[in-house]
Amino acid sequence: MATLDELDRRILRLFTDDPHIGVLGASRELGVARGTVQSRLNRLQEAGVIASWSPTLDPAAMGYRITAFLTLQIRQASGHGPVSEHLTAIPQVLEAHTVTGDSDLLVRVVARDTVHLQEVLDRVTAHDDVVRSASVISLAAQVPRRTAPLQPGR
């Protein structure tokens, strides 16, 4: 676990609030050397605090208007590996998590429409180790994906 000092927290807040600021802009805003900002960003990335510099894409804007959550029960003898590999090969599977409770995996998928969703569901459940599935369609995100509130000082 990375220990964050005040400068780290300020850098993270700045890039969270304005991802386009760049290292030079951040150094000017923070009043520190450009090299200091870059070395801090490198260290935060190496520590896994900054997980990605990729843009956050909106599936709905890309034509995937339906989001659904699936619960999967899988055969225990094979473990999670084979099903996880199968799910990774399906582009519409955005996430899969091992969970507690009656199910083994919680999977977030997207689809263009309900016909496409059925195709995605059929593909997900086509693996021999998937014993049972259930799905729910998201009507609206009440709290969208976020990480900013986790930052100390927010």
Side-chain angles (χ1 to χ4, degrees), residues 88-152:
T88 300
I90 303 170
Q92 296 81 13
V93 172
L94 302 184
E95 295 178 70
H97 300 266
T98 301
V99 294
T100 61
D102 294 334
S103 297
D104 300 304
L105 292 170
L106 177 65
V107 182
R108 182 168 66 108
V109 302
V110 292
R112 292 184 299 275
D113 52 39
T114 56
V115 171
H116 185 228
L117 178 59
Q118 182 63 60
E119 293 169 6
V120 172
L121 295 174
D122 290 344
R123 192 162 173 206
V124 165
T125 58
H127 195 280
D128 289 340
D129 286 342
V130 175
V131 176
R132 166 171 256 180
S133 71
S135 61
V136 293
I137 295 174
S138 171
L139 299 177
Q142 299 302 319
V143 179
R145 185 180 185 283
R146 63 193 185 138
T147 56
L150 299 176
Q151 295 178 30

Side-chain angles (χ1 to χ4, degrees), residues 1-15:
M1 186 168 109
T3 302
L4 304 178
D5 65 14
E6 183 56 30
L7 181 56
D8 291 332
R9 290 190 287 275
R10 290 174 59 207
I11 289 170
L12 290 171
R13 277 193 301 271
L14 189 58
F15 276 89

Side-chain angles (χ1 to χ4, degrees), residues 68-101:
F69 295 90
L70 319 176
T71 55
L72 304 180
Q73 292 178 351
I74 63 171
R75 292 187 207 296
Q76 300 300 310
S78 301
H80 291 84
V83 174
S84 296
E85 288 176 24
H86 170 71
L87 295 174
T88 300
I90 303 170
Q92 296 81 13
V93 172
L94 302 184
E95 295 178 70
H97 300 266
T98 301
V99 294
T100 61

Side-chain angles (χ1 to χ4, degrees), residues 18-64:
D18 185 5
H20 294 101
I21 194 164
V23 174
L24 182 59
S27 70
R28 289 178 179 155
E29 178 77 23
L30 298 168
V32 298
R34 180 179 171 188
T36 299
V37 173
Q38 187 62 64
S39 67
R40 294 292 184 112
L41 289 171
N42 291 345
R43 184 176 54 77
L44 291 166
Q45 189 170 6
E46 289 169 11
V49 173
I50 297 174
S52 173
W53 291 104
S54 299
T56 303
L57 304 178
D58 181 357
M62 297 168 57
Y64 295 93

